[in-house]
Amino acid sequence: CGRQPGSIVGVSNHIWQIKRQEIMKWNGWGYSDSRFFFNKKGQAEFTGRRYRLSGLIIPGLKDWFESTFGASLQHKTPATVSPILNSSAVQPPTLNEAFVEELKSTGIPLSHDAEDRVFRAHGHCLHEIFALREGKFGRVPDMVVWPNCHNDVVKIVELACKHNVCLIPYGGGTSVSSALECPPEETRSIVSLDTSQMNRILWIDEKNLTAHVEAGIVGQDLERLLNESGYCTGHEPDSMEFSSLGGWVATRASGMKKNVYGNIEDLVVHVKMVTPQGVIEKSCQGPRMSTGPDVHHFIMGSEGTLGVVTEVTMKIRPMPEYQKYGSVVFPNFEQGVACLREVARQRCAPASIRLMDNEQFKFGHALKPQVSSIFTSFLDGLKKFYITKFKGFDPNRLCVATLLFEGDREKVLQHEKQVYDIAAKFGGLAAGEDNGQRGYMLTFVIAYLRDLGMDYYVIGESFETSVPWDRVLDICRNVKARIIRECKDKGVQFSPLSTCRVTQTYDAGACVYFYFAFNYRGLSDPVHVYEQVEHAAREEILANGGSLSHHHGVGKLRKEWMRDTISKVGMGMLKSVKDYVDPNNIFGNRNLL
Amino acid sequence: MASEAVYTHRDPMLKKRDDFEDILEERRNSSDLRYALRCYIPVLYKELTPCKASELKSMVLQSDQLRYVINQVCKETGMAADEVQAEAAAILEEMAHRLQLSTIRFFAFTLSKVFKTLFRSICVNEEGIQRLQQAIHEHPVVLLPSHRSYMDFLLMSYILYTYDLALPVIAAGMDFMAMKFVGEMLRMSGAFFIRRSFGGDKLYWAVFSEYVKTMLKNGFAPVEFFLEGTRSRTCKSLTPKLGLLNIVMDPFLKGEVFDVSLVPVSISYERILEEALYARELLGVPKPKESTSGLFKARKVLSEDYGSIHVYFGQPVSVRSLAQNRVDRCQFNLIPRHIPRKPGEDIHSFVNDSAYRLVRAQEENMVLKPWVLLASLLLQNHHQMQVAEQKQEMALDELTEQAVWLRDLSRQYGAFLHWPDHVSPSEAVSSSLSLHRGLVRISEGRVQLAFEQAGGQTRPGEPCSTVTPEEELLNQAVIILSCASYRNQALHIFLRPALLASAIHTASSSNKQEVYNSFSFLRNMFSNEFILCPGATVQDFEEACYLLVKTGALQINQQEFVVTERGHRTLGFLTRMLDPFLQGYQVVCRFLCEDATEGLTEKQFVPAVRKFIIRHILTGRLRYTEVLSSDLQKNSLAALLRLGAVQKLKGGEEQGTLKVNKVMVNSLEDTLGGKLPTQKAVVARL
């Protein structure tokens, strides 16, 4: 079994370059060398060498794609300005000369090159990527700076305050909440503060099992470097290839294996943040304190509105001895949810447990790479026969849970048995390690698939929520149905893909992910339609007792609901913190409030 | 201010309605037995998990909702949990239906026979059926038929069976269950029985609401109930009851289903089986207890011709779209959904408004027959002649001429009128009259109400001289009230213009604002009597103005109403239509001021006011016999209670005693009579 998180093979040894666009797409997801395309035979292929799926042919994808969306390989919508950015289309920078002069004297690298600025002007919301593909640029940062350490950040923030310059911290750029969008009404010079050069592990404390890390480090590097010393943090958000530690702290991130390691708020022991009022940090590293409201909670989830997180002390764990994937097929989604609920009740959730609905199960199926031997395909056929014919599962209703166990070998096997026993009570059948592993691999390639869809009139996105257990089924059904109804009402000509999965379990509820995509042929303003539908879906989530966000954050995309979410007094509390910490709105990305 | 309101009219003339198909026609041409035994494969709810009626019961008994309430009852009463549990099971046992196809087949066979004897045709709009089929597939469905006859729910199931639609489960009153054999038959055809009143019985309510919700949520079957709560004895739609509507909307509001489709169904009978029965009941002859033998005695009705039935399945109404921007569903986020809570003010008013909209939808698709217009004209003529102290009859040609005029008017107002256009008006009129020969008599080209035959009250061997004036009056009243019940079927068409016409008539000037005040007063006064959507005064006023102006009866010049030359006929007709109600309410007011004794209770109210009215009619102080209708009397009391002019004392020995605010009642009476202007103050207080 591969021990590399998420089956990333051949992790490069690169330390992130200042010019990230040299290895990453500027108008799509991920690495430039990795992408899906339909080859001359009409079969889908995934390029590059980075992923398990790389270089493989995916025979089922075309049919699934065409039948699910009513799309056709004949109808292409390639990005209009690919792949090289045309700098002349970008507005010239508004520079604060005095600020630039003083900053230059500090020797901190900076740039006002159009490519650098555009790359840091967006996250990965659909409308952001769609606009880039069409070569449309709104307000972009006027300058990018690359501090190398905490003290650099202190200097930058001081200068920004002195010269009244707007700072927008930039970590991995994987935001899906419009958090990185420059407010169009901002008239000051906007400086993107790229933390990527602050990427060192400063020390590891094996006695206390903590590591002190610079906040710009990217997830996969953090794990890789810790692994070299035999440790891990176990924090693996889906975006971990690109997202940064500082970004996790600033958005209250959640990792796939939180059941063993906890979410970011459980992992953080100490944080250092540079604000316009100075540096905020605690004086000791005590594991828990009763010292009034935890100031870490002003930092976590502040979404870059208060300052820049520069250094974090995190819990680490010895690397797990043994990892095992698994999967369970349930006759229907209801049974699957009931099983997850029971697992949560008994507090025996594996490191990760995710339940995909029927549509997503079919999608996962369509992404099976070409099988190499007749024997495997024979086995697959046999499995399918057993489940649908012998066990009587309806292929249009069954759903699958993927599992990941971690720990020492014996305990993993024991744990596995416990979980499978519970599953059996809910009609679940063990469906093999392979299916489970493929499920987790898809997490990393699914974002690439959106780019493929966008080449063929299909746009889509995912969004998430958290919800009490008794509401899980209702919210899944209602939100999916609402998406379908809204698409119809908004004139979408083809039935959309509207699917969900339960991705995390808690004592009192679960995290639910929705995926939604549709073929926009015949629509004059597909992005607007998309946004209306997503808006309606969010309203539906809230009406069904779901939260505004489980871990994506609020950004600017979901700001309008904040007041209802945390009450007027709650808003006042947050506002007064902002007013004290940053009275001149230096950190002016206007997220959250 | 009325004039400031922006209201876009939908021209009633443009209302599009489906065509009908007679389902009895095929019954007359093919075997009923084969029909009853044919293959029946209905379209079901797409998310249905099939379950048996018995499984339903255990789902209900094991539900969180019920377990919570059982627990509560235990704590409150100190009873043991299994005792309460057993009580709940017993309630459910008493309530639950045992829907089975074989019983439906039995009814399909027998009802085919019965229907063919009684009715000329049963016409159904097939497009409505198709819409319903679609709705059943998509979402849980609630069927909301109008309620004019015992026949209604058997008829509904019969039609659904005929069209291969899912058979409904029907909320029925407990009184049906008392009929030994029939009760069980009904149960097996999908009826479930609810007690008429269970006020504070928490456990009963919990079992009942959970039972209905469980069936609805699982899509077990369409749930059918009568919004009006009971059969309307007057053929006016009754103001809706909210209990069951609350229950069926709850799963949507709490997010347990994506949507619920409400389907209003309008069942119009050309001749109502219970016609004379209703009239007697309204006059105070108590309703015979439902009994099986009683039902068989009703066999004599089998020999008569009851014309045709029209059943119109209306456009399904999505609860989701009704609730959009009206209800904040987040209010259920903070308390577990299985804990029963009294609906908040916003939910209550939402459900209430929805209920009115649905009853209006029923009204809109009621098919009117020519006789309905004739009955209106004959009643008006009867009273006019009575005042003029002339013979209370009219020439057939004159009736025909007036009927044609009224036909055109009602069509302009958007009536769903089935006037046979292929025959001459006089033929249409005479065939309508002949179907209702129990109520009208034609001799020598003149038409009059058939008083002497009124139910054959003079028993053989009893000398006529023993008939007191009071008895004679009541005999006449039976005929009048029967006719009124047909006129009432057209009331919803004319109601708003009639309120305006009466307002113009009573208002102190023809200034638009004055008239509006008067309109608003009358509308408020009559909101227990007719279906008037709460809070829609301005819309109703605008609609009435629009109709009268459009048809050339009224002009509005600089905020002044001017009745046109030809408008006098229309306005005359309209005011006469409302007049019996105006007079009736005034008489009730007068009774309360003059005649009501101290300590009059609600129970004694109807008999006392009836006595008072009989006296008034016999002495010639009141002309409208139909004021004897206890429905009108109860409605006017309800209005006075609502307005605070009368109070009902609660508790102690005075329980139910009516306390009359004579000053206020007096002023209301005078305002109704146009003696007092509708003062702003009065309007404001109302």
Side-chain angles (χ1 to χ4, degrees):
Chain A
C1 251
R3 276 204 325 208
Q4 288 298 343
S7 345
I8 305 167
V9 292
V11 173
S12 66
N13 261 327
H14 66 80
I15 293 297
W16 294 94
Q17 317 275 317
I18 282 185
K19 297 274 179 192
R20 266 188 249 191
Q21 58 269 36
E22 281 166 13
I23 58 158
M24 290 180 70
K25 298 190 194 88
W26 67 272
N27 62 353
W29 177 261
Y31 297 106
S32 305
D33 56 17
S34 303
R35 64 185 192 90
F36 283 97
F37 75 106
F38 287 111
N39 64 23
K40 291 202 175 98
K41 287 186 200 156
Q43 287 173 313
E45 272 183 54
F46 193 53
T47 63
R49 295 189 308 153
R50 293 175 190 272
Y51 299 89
R52 192 169 281 260
L53 211 57
S54 298
L56 293 182
I57 285 177
I58 305 117
L61 188 58
K62 173 174 174 275
D63 282 349
W64 176 84
F65 183 70
E66 292 189 332
S67 65
T68 304
F69 295 108
S72 155
L73 299 197
Q74 313 305 318
H75 301 295
K76 273 202 85 166
T77 46
T80 41
V81 283
S82 130
I84 292 142
L85 187 147
N86 175 9
S87 331
S88 62
V90 183
Q91 273 188 3
T94 314
L95 294 176
N96 182 321
E97 293 301 340
F99 172 77
V100 177
E101 277 315 300
E102 266 197 78
L103 190 63
K104 272 186 181 159
S105 71
T106 63
I108 299 169
L110 57 88
S111 157
H112 20 84
D113 175 60
E115 278 189 35
D116 291 329
R117 290 158 54 215
V118 168
F119 193 86
R120 286 157 186 82
H122 65 86
H124 283 272
C125 287
L126 175 85
H127 66 269
E128 293 173 317
I129 300 301
F130 199 92
L132 290 175
R133 285 170 62 96
E134 299 214 310
K136 289 182 186 148
F137 311 107
R139 179 84 159 93
V140 304
D142 300 298
M143 195 169 110
V144 183
V145 292
W146 285 271
N148 195 45
C149 61
H150 172 78
N151 285 340
D152 282 356
V153 176
V154 172
K155 281 179 214 160
I156 295 168
V157 173
E158 269 171 12
L159 289 179
C161 292
K162 182 171 166 194
H163 297 288
N164 195 22
V165 162
C166 173
L167 290 178
I168 298 185
Y170 182 89
T174 54
S175 140
V176 280
S177 60
S178 301
L180 289 167
E181 263 176 29
C182 296
E185 67 272 27
E186 181 61 67
T187 52
R188 296 172 297 181
S189 180
I190 299 179
V191 175
S192 175
L193 192 155
D194 185 323
T195 59
S196 61
Q197 303 312 299
M198 308 197 296
N199 54 19
R200 287 158 292 240
I201 294 178
L202 298 175
W203 45 256
I204 292 175
D205 177 347
E206 300 194 331
K207 290 218 171 62
N208 293 310
L209 285 176
T210 53
H212 192 64
V213 190
E214 288 183 313
I217 196 165
V218 165
Q220 57 168 311
D221 296 340
L222 176 60
E223 284 312 283
R224 185 170 40 77
L225 291 170
L226 284 175
N227 286 173
E228 283 167 12
S229 322
Y231 293 102
C232 67
T233 63
H235 185 68
E236 296 184 10
D238 290 358
S239 60
M240 68 173 290
E241 293 170 274
F242 309 109
S243 58
S244 69
L245 171 56
W248 300 338
V249 172
T251 56
R252 297 181 65 84
S254 170
M256 177 180 98
K257 299 194 292 196
K258 72 96 192 154
N259 292 336
V260 174
Y261 300 97
N263 285 318
I264 195 74
E265 66 271 21
D266 310 308
L267 287 164
V268 165
V269 176
H270 184 270
V271 191
K272 208 190 263 185
M273 177 164 81
V274 182
T275 77
Q277 291 284 19
V279 176
I280 174 174
E281 62 177 320
K282 290 185 187 173
S283 65
C284 67
Q285 308 210 28
R288 181 183 187 276
M289 302 181 205
S290 173
T291 49
D294 189 342
V295 291
H296 281 175
H297 286 289
F298 290 126
I299 298 169
M300 285 188 281
S302 59
E303 303 195 357
T305 59
L306 298 178
V308 188
V309 175
T310 54
E311 289 171 16
V312 179
T313 308
M314 268 183 109
K315 294 181 196 169
I316 55 170
R317 299 292 304 165
M319 283 170 69
E321 176 191 304
Y322 187 66
Q323 250 191 349
K324 194 170 180 192
Y325 289 99
S327 65
V328 182
V329 183
F330 292 98
N332 56 46
F333 192 65
E334 290 77 4
Q335 293 281 66
V337 170
C339 171
L340 261 63
R341 204 283 161 266
E342 184 56 30
V343 166
R345 194 196 314 273
Q346 296 191 21
R347 291 198 172 167
C348 65
S352 169
I353 177 165
R354 288 176 173 176
L355 180 74
M356 297 186 254
D357 70 0
N358 182 262
E359 288 85 355
Q360 234 171 83
F361 162 75
K362 287 178 179 162
F363 175 37
H365 215 69
L367 281 171
K368 260 191 180 172
Q370 201 158 35
V371 281
S372 39
S373 77
I374 291 182
F375 181 66
T376 338
S377 80
F378 172 73
L379 270 184
D380 280 351
L382 210 62
K383 253 189 261 169
K384 193 176 164 193
F385 176 82
Y386 176 72
I387 287 173
T388 59
K389 295 290 180 312
F390 189 72
K391 281 286 173 181
F393 285 17
D394 178 351
N396 290 314
R397 296 199 67 187
L398 61 81
C399 74
V400 62
T402 57
L403 311 166
L404 171 62
F405 297 92
E406 241 181 55
D408 55 82
R409 199 185 142 85
E410 209 146 295
K411 275 189 189 147
V412 162
L413 295 177
Q414 210 180 335
H415 193 180
E416 193 186 19
K417 185 175 177 312
Q418 187 185 6
V419 171
Y420 282 119
D421 284 351
I422 294 173
K425 281 187 199 142
F426 296 91
L429 297 172
E433 284 181 59
D434 246 25
N435 281 321
Q437 191 167 12
R438 203 173 49 251
Y440 288 102
M441 171 210 43
L442 289 183
T443 304
F444 293 95
V445 299
I446 199 159
Y448 288 100
L449 266 172
R450 183 170 79 181
D451 291 339
L452 178 73
M454 285 169 91
D455 286 340
Y456 295 93
Y457 282 98
V458 173
I459 51 178
E461 181 124 85
S462 62
F463 44 91
E464 42 71 39
T465 187
S466 55
V467 64
W469 277 116
D470 72 314
R471 293 272 200 170
V472 170
L473 279 177
D474 291 332
I475 208 171
C476 289
R477 177 192 53 244
N478 291 350
V479 173
K480 287 198 286 183
R482 178 74 180 263
I483 288 169
I484 292 168
R485 179 179 280 197
E486 291 289 332
C487 280
K488 206 172 156 197
D489 290 353
K490 300 287 180 298
V492 176
Q493 308 284 310
F494 304 87
S495 58
L497 173 70
S498 174
T499 145
C500 71
R501 67 180 193 211
V502 180
T503 61
Q504 290 289 5
T505 62
Y506 291 87
D507 286 349
C511 168
V512 180
Y513 240 90
F514 294 95
Y515 290 83
F516 148 52
F518 63 87
N519 180 345
Y520 67 83
R521 279 183 65 209
L523 295 181
S524 58
D525 191 351
V527 171
H528 182 62
V529 170
Y530 168 80
E531 285 172 345
Q532 285 179 306
V533 177
E534 190 190 335
H535 190 273
R538 182 58 64 182
E539 299 256 302
E540 191 63 34
I541 286 174
L542 298 173
N544 282 274
S547 65
L548 191 53
S549 171
H550 170 262
H551 61 274
H552 281 176
V554 176
K556 289 178 273 289
L557 192 62
R558 288 176 275 274
K559 250 165 92 161
E560 64 180 288
W561 291 289
M562 265 302 270
R563 198 190 143 109
D564 285 343
T565 301
I566 63 169
S567 84
K568 196 178 140 217
V569 179
M571 281 295 269
M573 284 179 169
L574 295 189
K575 273 203 179 108
S576 61
V577 169
K578 167 77 180 174
D579 288 346
Y580 170 74
V581 174
D582 184 17
N584 298 317
N585 197 26
I586 297 302
F587 289 92
N589 59 18
R590 297 183 198 246
N591 290 338
L592 209 56
L593 296 175
Chain B
M1 263 274 304
S3 51
E4 283 167 11
V6 188
Y7 179 65
T8 47
H9 301 279
R10 239 176 0 137
D11 192 329
M13 283 285 276
L14 298 177
K15 252 175 230 161
K16 221 182 108 40
R17 281 157 177 142
D18 309 336
D19 294 329
F20 285 102
E21 206 218 13
D22 177 14
I23 59 169
L24 281 190
E25 196 171 300
E26 206 194 317
R27 288 297 90 246
R28 297 195 205 276
N29 299 322
S30 65
S31 152
D32 287 336
L33 192 62
R34 200 176 310 142
Y35 163 74
L37 295 176
R38 82 198 161 83
C39 173
Y40 163 79
I41 307 165
V43 170
L44 299 170
Y45 177 44
K46 63 181 178 194
E47 281 172 45
L48 173 75
T49 19
C51 73
K52 294 194 200 87
S54 56
E55 288 170 303
L56 262 178
K57 284 187 203 164
S58 55
M59 281 166 84
V60 173
L61 291 173
Q62 281 156 25
S63 67
D64 293 339
Q65 283 77 351
L66 196 55
R67 286 218 305 254
Y68 180 87
V69 173
I70 287 175
N71 224 320
Q72 241 184 347
V73 171
C74 288
K75 272 185 202 147
E76 280 165 21
T77 61
M79 281 162 78
D82 28 341
E83 250 178 281
V84 184
Q85 175 84 28
E87 196 182 315
I91 292 172
L92 188 57
E93 202 54 41
E94 175 195 82
M95 182 182 314
H97 69 81
R98 281 198 304 276
L99 180 60
Q100 53 183 51
L101 193 55
S102 54
T103 316
I104 297 294
R105 291 192 190 283
F106 165 79
F107 273 118
F109 179 76
T110 46
L111 286 179
S112 290
K113 300 286 182 209
V114 174
F115 286 161
K116 280 188 284 188
T117 331
L118 287 175
F119 302 109
R120 296 179 191 172
S121 60
I122 298 176
C123 300
V124 179
N125 65 325
E126 291 208 319
E127 281 162 72
I129 293 285
Q130 278 158 23
R131 287 192 297 259
L132 177 59
Q133 185 174 25
Q134 181 76 22
I136 288 175
H137 180 66
E138 291 294 322
H139 303 293
V141 163
V142 178
L143 290 166
L144 301 167
S146 59
H147 204 8
R148 302 287 173 270
S149 169
Y150 275 143
M151 214 59 150
D152 292 326
F153 79 77
L154 285 175
L155 179 64
M156 283 290 289
S157 298
Y158 182 84
I159 292 171
L160 296 182
Y161 171 80
T162 303
Y163 284 103
D164 252 351
L165 288 173
L167 294 167
V169 290
I170 308 121
M174 200 65 113
D175 29 7
F176 272 116
M177 210 182 70
M179 298 190 263
K180 279 173 224 145
F181 174 68
V182 174
E184 285 314 294
M185 286 296 283
L186 296 179
R187 203 191 273 283
M188 287 189 286
S189 59
F192 61 94
F193 296 101
I194 5 170
R195 296 179 192 162
R196 283 264 177 230
S197 60
F198 41 88
D201 192 339
K202 228 185 247 180
L203 189 64
Y204 191 88
W205 175 259
V207 174
F208 164 54
S209 63
E210 196 47 33
Y211 182 60
V212 176
K213 281 186 216 169
T214 305
M215 290 190 289
L216 190 75
K217 283 190 292 195
N218 293 307
F220 177 85
V223 173
E224 177 179 316
F225 66 90
F226 299 105
L227 262 177
E228 299 164 282
T230 180
R231 290 171 298 149
S232 167
R233 272 71 167 166
T234 57
C235 283
K236 268 184 305 157
S237 294
L238 303 177
T239 49
K241 307 287 173 288
L242 305 184
L244 264 158
L245 194 61
N246 250 316
I247 291 176
V248 297
M249 284 185 157
D250 193 64
F252 164 74
L253 295 174
K254 289 186 177 159
E256 293 166 328
V257 293
F258 180 70
D259 203 350
V260 173
S261 296
L262 308 173
V263 183
V265 183
S266 315
I267 308 177
S268 358
Y269 295 88
E270 187 168 14
R271 221 189 123 193
I272 289 165
L273 291 163
E274 294 101 323
E275 177 183 278
L277 214 63
Y278 287 160
R280 288 208 196 94
E281 209 179 297
L282 290 170
L283 290 168
V285 182
K287 172 182 164 192
K289 220 172 175 215
E290 274 84 357
S291 70
T292 310
S293 61
L295 201 79
F296 283 111
K297 266 183 214 147
R299 273 189 54 186
K300 87 171 168 74
V301 301
L302 283 178
S303 55
E304 289 194 40
D305 178 1
Y306 287 88
S308 51
I309 305 176
H310 285 83
V311 183
Y312 195 98
F313 288 84
Q315 202 65 245
V317 178
S318 139
V319 176
R320 177 173 278 269
S321 29
L322 284 177
Q324 186 148 38
N325 303 326
R326 279 245 17 203
V327 181
D328 178 14
R329 286 184 282 151
C330 292
Q331 64 184 283
F332 300 104
N333 286 355
L334 296 178
I335 294 180
R337 290 174 293 171
H338 66 267
I339 298 181
R341 265 204 303 173
K342 223 180 147 214
E345 195 39 57
D346 60 329
I347 303 264
H348 176 82
S349 83
F350 164 67
V351 175
N352 191 39
D353 290 357
S354 305
Y356 272 88
R357 275 179 69 167
L358 290 160
V359 175
R360 288 275 282 143
Q362 285 176 357
E363 283 186 337
E364 269 187 21
N365 293 321
M366 286 285 202
V367 169
L368 305 184
K369 289 292 194 171
W371 164 246
V372 166
L373 304 182
L374 299 177
S376 312
L377 292 166
L378 284 168
L379 275 175
Q380 291 197 1
N381 179 71
H382 177 80
H383 290 123
Q384 276 177 302
M385 294 297 135
Q386 201 177 13
V387 173
E389 298 190 343
Q390 288 173 8
K391 197 149 195 275
Q392 291 138 20
E393 56 176 28
M394 78 194 286
L396 193 53
D397 325 342
E398 198 194 333
L399 180 63
T400 308
E401 185 274 325
Q402 288 193 17
V404 169
W405 171 80
L406 190 53
R407 174 194 71 187
D408 297 343
L409 184 70
S410 62
R411 280 189 175 154
Q412 283 178 309
Y413 287 1
F416 195 4
L417 184 66
H418 263 221
W419 183 284
D421 283 317
H422 55 277
V423 297
S424 72
S426 59
E427 277 175 74
V429 168
S430 40
S431 79
S432 290
L433 293 176
S434 76
L435 186 69
H436 296 275
R437 60 180 92 83
L439 300 175
V440 279
R441 203 143 26 92
I442 314 170
S443 60
E444 294 158 21
R446 303 191 72 81
V447 190
Q448 59 172 311
L449 298 180
F451 286 141
E452 283 82 351
Q453 299 172 348
Q457 292 299 305
T458 44
R459 288 186 209 109
E462 237 176 325
C464 288
S465 56
T466 61
V467 176
T468 64
E470 191 180 322
E471 276 170 347
E472 194 189 325
L473 174 64
L474 286 176
N475 288 343
Q476 288 192 7
V478 171
I479 299 294
I480 299 260
L481 284 186
S482 300
C483 280
S485 78
Y486 289 99
R487 176 210 56 203
N488 285 347
Q489 294 181 19
L491 266 179
H492 66 275
I493 305 293
F494 298 109
L495 176 61
R496 275 146 269 265
L499 283 168
L500 180 57
S502 302
I504 292 172
H505 190 72
T506 51
S508 48
S509 81
S510 54
N511 173 274
K512 193 172 177 182
Q513 182 62 52
E514 290 276 348
V515 174
Y516 174 77
N517 289 348
S518 204
F519 177 91
S520 168
F521 168 79
L522 289 175
R523 190 185 176 282
N524 189 23
M525 202 68 213
F526 285 131
S527 60
N528 295 74
E529 190 73 46
F530 310 117
I531 301 301
L532 292 159
C533 298
T537 312
V538 174
Q539 282 97 313
D540 283 349
F541 183 69
E542 299 280 311
E543 188 188 318
C545 291
Y546 171 77
L547 288 174
L548 286 178
V549 170
K550 187 193 77 168
T551 52
L554 201 64
Q555 284 173 351
I556 305 175
N557 298 333
Q558 294 168 342
Q559 302 296 306
E560 293 285 316
F561 283 112
V562 181
V563 181
T564 63
E565 194 61 40
R566 53 192 270 231
H568 286 292
R569 183 175 188 184
T570 311
L571 268 76
F573 170 81
L574 291 172
T575 39
R576 284 196 296 277
M577 190 152 217
L578 217 51
D579 203 39
F581 297 96
L582 268 169
Q583 300 278 339
Y585 276 50
Q586 289 176 63
V587 172
V588 171
C589 287
R590 213 170 313 147
F591 160 76
L592 287 169
C593 291
E594 292 174 8
D595 212 55
T597 50
E598 269 312 299
L600 176 81
T601 64
E602 200 185 8
K603 258 190 180 162
Q604 298 158 344
F605 168 76
V606 169
V609 77
R610 181 181 294 133
K611 233 182 244 168
F612 182 79
I613 290 172
I614 289 175
R615 218 163 58 223
H616 268 63
I617 295 177
L618 290 177
T619 54
R621 275 181 288 171
L622 178 67
R623 348 172 236 155
Y624 290 112
T625 318
E626 64 172 283
V627 173
L628 280 168
S629 157
S630 59
D631 181 66
L632 183 144
Q633 295 150 9
K634 285 177 192 159
N635 288 337
S636 50
L637 178 63
L640 293 171
L641 283 164
R642 172 170 50 85
L643 299 174
V646 177
Q647 268 184 304
K648 190 160 66 184
L649 300 180
K650 279 176 190 164
E653 285 175 19
E654 296 186 313
Q655 173 77 30
T657 306
L658 299 174
K659 195 167 162 277
V660 181
N661 177 342
K662 290 198 177 166
V663 177
M664 199 173 163
V665 172
N666 237 322
S667 99
L668 285 173
E669 185 196 343
D670 289 347
T671 318
L672 279 168
K675 288 181 214 154
L676 262 185
T678 15
Q679 289 146 352
K680 286 245 164 71
V682 176
V683 176
R685 197 173 64 228
L686 306 183

